[in-house]
Amino acid sequence: MESPDNVSSKQVGVRLPGHLYRWLKNKVDNGEYSNMAQSVIGELTKARTLEESRCRETTLYNTCEDESLARMVNERIEGVRRELLDEMKRRRT
């Protein structure tokens, strides 16, 4: 038997909760999709693409950029702290 990863398409029968059925039916009725099967495929494809892009963003943000961003923030905080100390010294004199 062939694994699902090697199959170009696979028929799956599922029952949709009412709120999802109505949401998809509305997309078909509004002409966004030609039929219910296409609406399911289209929305699942959009969801997969969104999930993959979020995973890529998370991977990008978790690299050394975190360290450089933290360094930039710390440098800015230190600069503001020095400015405040200088202002306090100036007002005392």
Side-chain angles (χ1 to χ4, degrees):
M1 181 158 187
E2 221 174 339
S3 80
D5 293 337
N6 297 330
V7 177
S8 62
S9 66
K10 184 81 172 166
Q11 186 170 353
V12 177
V14 297
R15 288 185 165 268
L16 293 173
H19 68 284
L20 290 178
Y21 178 85
R22 288 186 297 276
W23 173 64
L24 292 170
K25 180 80 169 111
N26 189 42
K27 289 182 172 288
V28 172
D29 292 344
N30 289 333
E32 191 171 336
Y33 295 102
S34 58
N35 57 47
M36 285 296 286
Q38 290 300 313
S39 69
V40 171
I41 293 166
E43 293 304 315
L44 285 174
T45 302
K46 286 180 191 177
R48 178 181 178 194
T49 302
L50 181 60
E51 180 180 296
E52 288 173 348
S53 70
R54 285 181 180 161
C55 287
R56 281 192 301 274
E57 287 174 5
T58 301
T59 303
L60 290 175
Y61 291 137
N62 287 337
T63 59
C64 62
E65 289 181 19
D66 282 343
E67 293 173 11
S68 63
L69 179 60
R71 190 176 324 112
M72 287 173 34
V73 169
N74 286 334
E75 288 171 0
R76 181 66 184 132
I77 290 171
E78 181 62 24
V80 170
R81 188 183 72 77
R82 275 188 250 121
E83 290 174 16
L84 288 170
L85 287 173
D86 290 346
E87 181 64 22
M88 288 171 59
K89 286 178 187 175
R90 188 183 64 75
R91 289 186 180 198
R92 285 184 196 152
T93 58

